[in-house]
Amino acid sequence: MLGVIDRNLERWALLVFYTMLVGTMAIEVMRREVFAYSSIWGEEVVRYAFIYLVWIGAAAAVRDRAHIRIDVLFHYLPPRGKAALYIFGDLVMAAVACLALWWSFDTVEVSWRFGSVTDGLRVSKVWALAAVPIGFTLILVRLIQSFLRDVRDLRRGRDMFEGNVLYE
């Protein structure tokens, strides 16, 4: 069960938020064009669904090693050199993610303390602002998994997972 969740967590969350985004946007376009009326809340739902899509998608890209990178150097390195570079990259990204996670809690805490609400939906802004710490937490989890996978592959002498290749 945990393996299924591990493999599909981001995919399921992305499906939920993408469906929410597209469905709300379609309803709002129809309401605006057919009925000449639009709601305040529709734009907010789309905006916040998109924000969650971005952060969860970033975590999914870390899991799949799908972020854009300049990999010319990787083609000229032996397997151990590639492993060292991947591990170094994961450690640097983890340090940045830890700092960003720490700083993102301040914004959420201030919103929580003052009880700020969104303009249209009138729900706590904490739900919208929580996308950033949730995203960085998922990114850190995926970075730890990537780091452990790389160390395990390095010890066993296997090739590093380089991500899914889109173009050759």
Side-chain angles (χ1 to χ4, degrees), residues 39-142:
S39 66
I40 294 173
W41 60 266
E43 184 266 335
E44 277 188 3
V45 168
V46 170
R47 181 183 334 138
Y48 297 136
F50 184 74
I51 291 169
Y52 272 91
L53 271 172
V54 167
W55 288 108
I56 295 169
V62 168
R63 180 194 66 220
D64 296 336
R65 274 214 170 112
H67 279 286
I68 296 173
R69 64 181 179 264
I70 299 171
D71 61 353
V72 174
L73 188 59
F74 287 96
H75 296 296
Y76 298 107
L77 289 175
R80 294 185 79 72
K82 281 184 188 181
L85 216 51
Y86 276 126
I87 290 170
F88 176 73
D90 285 348
L91 290 174
V92 169
M93 192 184 297
V96 171
C98 284
L99 283 173
L101 177 64
W102 178 259
W103 288 332
S104 69
F105 282 126
D106 288 340
T107 308
V108 175
E109 193 268 328
V110 167
S111 180
W112 178 270
R113 188 170 354 121
F114 291 108
S116 59
V117 295
T118 62
D119 298 325
L121 292 169
R122 306 305 296 170
V123 298
S124 175
K125 268 195 178 171
V126 169
W127 295 108
L129 296 172
V132 179
I134 289 170
F136 276 117
T137 301
L138 284 172
I139 287 170
L140 279 170
V141 167
R142 295 307 183 179

Side-chain angles (χ1 to χ4, degrees), residues 135-154:
F136 276 117
T137 301
L138 284 172
I139 287 170
L140 279 170
V141 167
R142 295 307 183 179
L143 282 169
I144 291 167
Q145 289 175 334
S146 175
F147 176 78
L148 293 174
R149 178 187 57 219
D150 290 346
V151 168
R152 187 174 51 246
D153 288 345
L154 182 62

Side-chain angles (χ1 to χ4, degrees), residues 12-28:
W12 293 334
L14 289 171
L15 178 65
V16 167
F17 287 111
Y18 189 72
T19 302
M20 185 186 314
L21 183 144
V22 171
T24 305
M25 194 179 298
I27 290 168
E28 286 301 306

